[in-house]
Amino acid sequence: RSITEMNYDSGWSTLVTHYNSQRIPGFPYHLCPTTLRILETVPIAGRICGFNRQRPQSGIPEHSDGNNMWLTAQIPITTPNP
């Protein structure tokens, strides 16, 4: 199985804020002003920058995406239950 299949099985979805270092038209940047301020003060060299989500208690195994040109960082954010 591919890592992509495992990601989607865990409820993985992505909300892209930047693609090829460009803002996404229509994105509600006013909802994440701190994140936007940080992203616009550091060079974004990758293809995609955004927020990822997956179901609670799920995870993805250690893996390589087959491309050693990108640095990927995933920082967990814990949110309160609705």
Side-chain angles (χ1 to χ4, degrees), residues 54-75:
Q54 62 191 101
R55 283 192 298 273
Q57 309 306 314
S58 64
I60 56 174
E62 291 183 19
H63 67 283
S64 170
D65 289 327
N67 188 334
N68 64 0
M69 298 183 338
W70 311 112
L71 172 63
T72 301
Q74 276 120 15
I75 302 168

Side-chain angles (χ1 to χ4, degrees), residues 13-80:
S13 63
T14 302
L15 181 61
V16 178
T17 63
H18 293 76
Y19 184 78
N20 288 334
S21 300
Q22 302 298 312
R23 282 188 180 197
I24 302 297
F27 185 91
Y29 291 103
H30 66 283
L31 297 176
C32 53
T34 302
T35 301
L36 180 62
R37 188 174 66 249
I38 292 167
L39 291 175
E40 294 193 340
T41 60
V42 297
I44 302 173
R47 296 173 296 165
I48 295 174
C49 185
F51 296 99
N52 296 319
R53 177 187 72 177
Q54 62 191 101
R55 283 192 298 273
Q57 309 306 314
S58 64
I60 56 174
E62 291 183 19
H63 67 283
S64 170
D65 289 327
N67 188 334
N68 64 0
M69 298 183 338
W70 311 112
L71 172 63
T72 301
Q74 276 120 15
I75 302 168
I77 299 173
T78 303
T79 58

